[in-house]
Structures are given as C-alpha cells and as structure tokens.
Amino acid sequence: MKIRILGSAAGGGFPQWNCNCANCDGLRKGSIDAVARTQSSIAVSENGSDWLLVNASPDILAQIRANPALQPARAVRDSGICAVLLMDAQIDHVTGLLMLRERATPLPLYATAQVLADLSQALPITRVLGHYCGIDARPIAIDGAALTIPPLHATTFLPVPLRSKAPPYSPHRDDPHPGDNIGLTIRNGTSGESLFYAPGLGEITPQVEAAMRRADVLLVDGTCWSDDEMLAMGLSRKTARMMGHLAQSGPGGMIEVLDRMPARRKILIHINNSNPILREDAPQRAVLAAHGIEVAVDGMEIDL
Ligand code: MLT
Ligand code: MN
Ligand code: ZN
C-alpha cells in the first residue's frame, strides 16, 4: 500500500501568507535552501487509484493538482478520493471539505463524535455541505477496535486517543474529551506492516508510547524545533506545548522519544514555517539526520 504526503506544513503553510520570518521571507526571495510546503494532509491507497484522504487541508485543490494519482479519470466527473478521515476539527485539517462539494454523492466522513459535533455546530461545515453533496457521517469509536474503510479492504485503521485540546473555536476548548484529537495506526493486513500518524502530538501517554513502539514507520508532529520558538521570534504568545505540540529538541522532546523507538523510518510532518529544520543546510537538520529522522516534504511516498 502507498501513503502519499499531500501536505507537510503546519497551519499557515510555508511560506505563510502574512509571515516575514527568516524562513518565509528567505523562501520568497530564493535566498535559502528550502522548498514550499502545503498544509498537513496524507492519502492512503491499496491500488493506486482509490484513496482515503486523512485530513482535508485548505490546500486540497492544489494538492490534488500536484498529485495526478488522485484523479484516475474513469468518468466525466470522477475523483480518486473515496472517503475522508479526520484526526481533529482544526481549521488546517477540515476546511478542505468545502472544496469537495461538487461530488455527486454524499462524502463518507469518518471522525469521532466530538469532531462531528464541532463540525455540525461551532464550525458547521457538515451542515453547509448538506446543501451541496451532503455528508455520510461515519462516527469513529475510541474503544480500542480497528476499523476498515471501503474500498480499502486489506487495511485497518486503529484510532489512538491523544491528550490534547479541541480547536480554539470549539465550545469545549478548555474541557478536553477523548476523541477531540486522535492518532492513527494504519496497518497493511497483507504485509503486516504499520504506520503511526499523529501530526499533532503534545504528550506521549502510555497508550501513545505503545502505539509508537509497535509501528514500522512513524509520521509524527514536527511543528517546532524548540518549545519557545514562536515566542522567541515574536510570532506568538504561546509555546509549542500550549498549542498541543511536542518540540523536537530538549529533554523529553521528540528526538528523545524517537530515539527509543524501533521503527525503520521516523519522519516529521506538520512543520511550522518558523522551524529551522525547513532549511536543508540547517545544523538542526544534521542533528536529525544523526538520529535517523527524516523531514517530510510534499509528494513524499511511503510504501508499507
Ligand atoms: C495547530 O496545529 O495547532 C492548529 O492547526 C493551529 C491552527 O489553527 O492553525
Ligand atoms: Mn495544525
Ligand atoms: Zn514564517
């Protein structure tokens, strides 16, 4: 099976429209060794033409254009995207749903009850889409059971609850519930290999630790290099941790976590435009390389 990285950046993308940090400004001017990235999303396929979209980024239309495999052109109106699964209700993971409204049939949408509630009330995307293609809501239970998502019959998806927060717009932002955010173990039933995906990972709970240990490939939160990165650059009043993201460097950081994992590939995704690892020649990149850690880029493909 194939896992294609459609977007590898955090919310805002790289470069971010209103940002002139050294990375964003340097990329626009061509003065740094870095490539542009769209907002975080992946697609999963067994046969190369039917795809499950995991998160629907605001950049979805550009991502579909950049990945011709997502348009198999079997009919005058067609898409390789068969269904969408959401890991949370954050703006950078859900607003692309509105761009899929021209479908002829309701869009199968897999998400937890918490996420479906936010998307029918506080940010009523599913109600709005009711006036276009409609949504076929498939609630995901967090009960330790894996699910299959047609037409991917040889793949299982196991949701892992994450200790994090609902989005800033959610009425339960400060009242966290299991199901506000999930990680996902994607297992190829044929090869037996699995990948753990968690673009927003703030805390390594025992359950997350166990899921990461079992995975052959890790595709996890690469938002910030240091916890106070955005504070220090004057870009935000929040630390990475306050936003539900575990920084890479420092004690207990993602590099330390990944060091103890047996996975054959360790890849960072959801990279914020402030992060120095976006520069191919940054010393922080050499540190990652020494720990066997890769940095995702749009269009990267993972075979499982
Ligand atoms: C996050 O990952 O913390 C959020 O997506 C931030 C945002 O809303 O842009
Ligand atoms: Mn995000
Ligand atoms: Zn920037």
Side-chain angles (χ1 to χ4, degrees), residues 276-294:
I277 66 173
L278 286 168
R279 297 173 70 145
E280 307 289 332
D281 55 358
Q284 292 88 347
R285 273 300 276 278
V287 173
L288 292 182
H291 289 266
I293 301 171
E294 302 171 65

Side-chain angles (χ1 to χ4, degrees), residues 11-12 90-92 168 243 245 270:
Q90 296 272 8
I91 301 248
D92 60 344
M243 294 185 287
H245 300 293
H270 189 278

Side-chain angles (χ1 to χ4, degrees), residues 44-83:
V44 184
S45 180
E46 291 172 357
N47 61 8
S49 51
D50 297 311
W51 296 85
L52 170 71
L53 187 65
V54 184
N55 294 325
S57 147
D59 299 320
I60 182 68
L61 297 182
Q63 293 169 342
I64 292 170
R65 280 182 211 116
N67 292 276
L70 296 183
Q71 177 47 272
R74 298 161 293 199
V76 64
R77 286 280 166 93
D78 192 22
S79 171
I81 298 170
C82 301

Side-chain angles (χ1 to χ4, degrees), residues 168-198:
Y169 71 78
S170 170
H172 24 262
R173 167 76 164 171
D174 297 312
D175 175 26
H177 285 79
D180 289 332
N181 310 75
I182 56 168
L184 201 62
T185 296
I186 305 172
R187 181 175 302 279
N188 178 343
T190 310
S191 71
E193 279 210 312
S194 69
L195 173 143
F196 179 72
Y197 177 49

Side-chain angles (χ1 to χ4, degrees), residues 136-262:
D136 176 6
R138 312 274 178 97
I140 295 179
I142 319 264
D143 56 3
L147 59 147
T148 52
I149 298 179
L152 281 69
H153 295 294
T155 309
T156 58
F157 298 87
L158 177 65
V160 179
L162 303 182
R163 201 171 292 160
S164 193
K165 282 177 154 186
Y169 71 78
S170 170
H172 24 262
R173 167 76 164 171
D174 297 312
D175 175 26
H177 285 79
D180 289 332
N181 310 75
I182 56 168
L184 201 62
T185 296
I186 305 172
R187 181 175 302 279
N188 178 343
T190 310
S191 71
E193 279 210 312
S194 69
L195 173 143
F196 179 72
Y197 177 49
L201 190 52
E203 206 180 317
I204 310 297
T205 62
Q207 215 175 345
V208 168
E209 174 91 18
M212 290 178 79
R213 264 183 203 286
R214 283 193 293 264
D216 298 285
V217 180
L218 292 166
L219 186 57
V220 294
D221 193 332
T223 310
C224 291
W225 174 260
S226 45
D227 192 47
D228 68 348
E229 178 175 304
M230 294 187 72
L231 268 172
M233 294 168 74
L235 303 176
S236 168
R237 281 194 293 264
K238 292 179 189 157
T239 62
R241 200 173 290 270
M242 284 161 74
M243 294 185 287
H245 300 293
L246 181 64
Q248 283 110 59
S249 61
M254 192 62 88
I255 295 173
E256 271 190 15
V257 174
L258 292 177
D259 267 346
R260 59 179 186 260
M261 298 299 165

Side-chain angles (χ1 to χ4, degrees), residues 90-131:
Q90 296 272 8
I91 301 248
D92 60 344
H93 287 160
V94 304
T95 45
L97 289 171
L98 293 169
M99 302 305 125
L100 304 178
R101 67 191 177 285
E102 293 95 350
R103 275 178 66 96
T105 55
L107 175 68
L109 182 66
Y110 294 78
T112 63
Q114 281 73 20
V115 167
L116 289 170
D118 276 341
L119 296 186
S120 68
Q121 293 154 28
L123 179 63
I125 288 179
T126 57
R127 283 200 282 134
V128 172
L129 284 175
H131 298 277

